[in-house]
């Protein structure tokens, strides 16, 4: 029977730390180039764009690689304008000349090439507000100017003040204002309202206020089709309902009654000037 032998060989290895990674990037002198219109042409207040190459090793502080060392480290930069097609030729970046601003382009893209391999890309857009357009047409608006802003109704006599209403129609073309007397010639209709009831109205017409039942408001309105383009509401205000003075019965001294009660009790046609009477309340309120 043969005997077998096993030989074990052991190596003691010391690990070797790897090298820190080295990264490169481009930093342009501006993040974008603003363009503006001057004399009908686009111009830029920035003539040229410059680039810096930044190198960082591991967690070390980033440093700028001077252009004099670019060749030694295998660094080159190529650029391309955005001209809206794929045939825009690339050009080499010169640290001495920088990148001129082509106002016909949408921007410029720079490529950082390290030993023939593109390792970083940055784009600087050229931005503008666009060419100024033609001034737009003036806006047209309509306003109503009624003869009064409120109508007073006397609850004692049933009289209106004023006794008639009228209204003017004004057209505003931008800052220009003109008075219109033929709304239909402008595709408009004008109306006079008594509460919810309306009637056709012609600017300047006098509307007599002869309504036995006091309305809550009057109004003038202008419509175009089914849309109301202007309106002026005129509220009706009163001096309040008649309220007798307290304690003015048949056995009350005449001096405590108002003129109306004294006249009714005595049958006279007017108040006696010798009688002293508290002043009547004339609180006006809007209905």
């Amino acid at each position: 029977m043969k005997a077998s032998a096993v030989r074990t060989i052991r190596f003691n290895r010391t690990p070797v730390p790897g090298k820190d990674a080295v990264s490169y990037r481009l930093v342009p002198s501006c993040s974008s180039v603003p363009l503006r219109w001057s004399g009908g042409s686009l111009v830029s207040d920035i003539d040229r764009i410059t680039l810096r190459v930044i190198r960082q090793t591991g967690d070390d502080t980033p440093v700028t690689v001077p252009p004099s060392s670019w060749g030694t480290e295998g660094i080159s930069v190529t650029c391309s304008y955005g001209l809206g097609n794929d045939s825009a030729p690339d050009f080499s970046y010169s640290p001495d000349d920088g990148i001129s601003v082509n106002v016909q382009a949408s921007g410029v893209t720079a490529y950082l090439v390290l030993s023939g391999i593109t390792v970083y890309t940055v784009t600087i857009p050229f931005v503008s507000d666009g060419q100024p357009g033609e001034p737009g047409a003036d806006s047209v608006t309509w306003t109503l100017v009624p003869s009064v802003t409120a109508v007073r109704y006397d609850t004692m006599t049933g009289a209106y003040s004023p006794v008639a209403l009228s209204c003017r129609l004004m057209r505003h073309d931008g800052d220009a204002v003109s008075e219109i007397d033929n709304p239909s010639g402008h595709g408009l209709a004008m109306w006079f309202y008594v509460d919810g009831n309306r009637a056709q109205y012609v600017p300047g017409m006098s509307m007599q206020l002869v309504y036995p039942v006091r309305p809550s408001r009057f109004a003038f309105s202008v419509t175009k089709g089914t849309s109301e383009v202007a309106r002026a509401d005129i509220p009706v205000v009163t001096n309040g309902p008649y309220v007798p003075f307290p304690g003015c019965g048949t056995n009350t001294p005449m001096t405590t009654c108002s003129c109306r009660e004294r006249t009714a009790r005595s049958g006279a046609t007017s108040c006696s000037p010798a009688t002293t009477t508290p002043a009547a309340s004339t609180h006006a309120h809007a209905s």
Side-chain angles (χ1 to χ4, degrees):
M1 185 175 196
K2 293 183 177 181
S4 61
V6 178
R7 179 180 294 178
T8 303
I9 301 174
R10 295 181 178 177
F11 298 92
N12 292 324
R13 295 181 177 179
T14 301
V16 178
K19 294 183 178 180
D20 289 333
V22 179
S23 62
Y24 292 83
R25 69 178 185 272
L26 287 171
V27 178
S29 56
C30 59
S31 59
S32 64
V33 175
L35 305 179
R36 58 183 175 83
W37 288 94
S38 177
S41 301
L42 278 173
V43 297
S44 171
D45 294 326
I46 298 176
D47 294 330
R48 296 187 178 277
I49 304 168
T50 58
L51 301 171
R52 289 189 302 135
V53 176
I54 303 297
R55 181 184 65 233
Q56 184 175 14
T57 302
D59 295 329
D60 293 347
T61 302
V63 295
T64 299
V65 180
S68 59
S69 300
W70 288 10
T72 305
E73 299 193 28
I75 296 172
S76 64
V77 177
T78 58
C79 302
S80 174
Y81 289 114
L83 295 174
N85 56 61
D86 297 329
S87 60
D90 293 347
F91 59 93
S92 296
Y93 173 78
S94 169
D96 295 331
D97 298 330
I99 304 171
S100 61
V101 175
N102 182 351
V103 296
Q104 302 303 319
S106 60
V108 64
T109 300
Y111 306 90
L112 175 59
V113 181
L114 185 64
S115 300
I117 300 175
T118 301
V119 296
Y120 193 87
T121 302
V122 63
T123 298
I124 303 99
F126 301 163
V127 296
S128 73
D129 292 333
Q131 189 171 10
E134 294 297 325
D138 289 335
S139 63
V140 177
T141 57
W142 305 87
T143 56
L144 292 169
V145 183
S147 54
V148 295
T149 57
V151 170
R152 183 178 179 84
Y153 177 80
D154 192 323
T155 56
M156 301 290 288
T157 64
Y160 294 91
S161 177
V163 296
L165 293 176
S166 63
C167 189
R168 299 159 59 203
L169 174 60
M170 313 302 291
R171 172 178 171 139
H172 302 258
D173 291 86
D175 295 330
V177 182
S178 57
E179 184 171 355
I180 303 300
D181 57 8
N182 60 332
S184 60
H186 298 268
L188 304 174
M190 196 165 175
W191 308 91
F192 175 65
Y193 279 84
V194 181
D195 284 337
N197 301 313
R198 74 176 187 178
Q200 195 90 32
Y201 180 79
V202 176
M205 181 189 299
S206 180
M207 305 300 293
Q208 301 297 314
L209 306 184
V210 287
Y211 303 98
V213 178
R214 175 182 62 86
S216 61
R217 67 181 54 244
F218 301 101
F220 292 96
S221 171
V222 175
T223 57
K224 187 168 187 176
T226 58
S227 301
E228 186 175 66
V229 297
R231 184 181 180 91
D233 288 294
I234 305 169
V236 179
V237 297
T238 73
N239 58 348
Y242 170 71
V243 179
F245 278 85
C248 198
T250 55
N251 297 324
T252 304
M254 293 285 278
T255 55
T256 64
C257 298
S258 68
C259 177
R260 182 172 177 176
E261 279 86 17
R262 294 199 313 275
T263 302
R265 285 176 55 181
S266 64
T269 57
S270 62
C271 295
S272 170
T275 304
T276 302
T277 315
S281 172
T282 57
H283 295 293
H285 64 86
S287 298

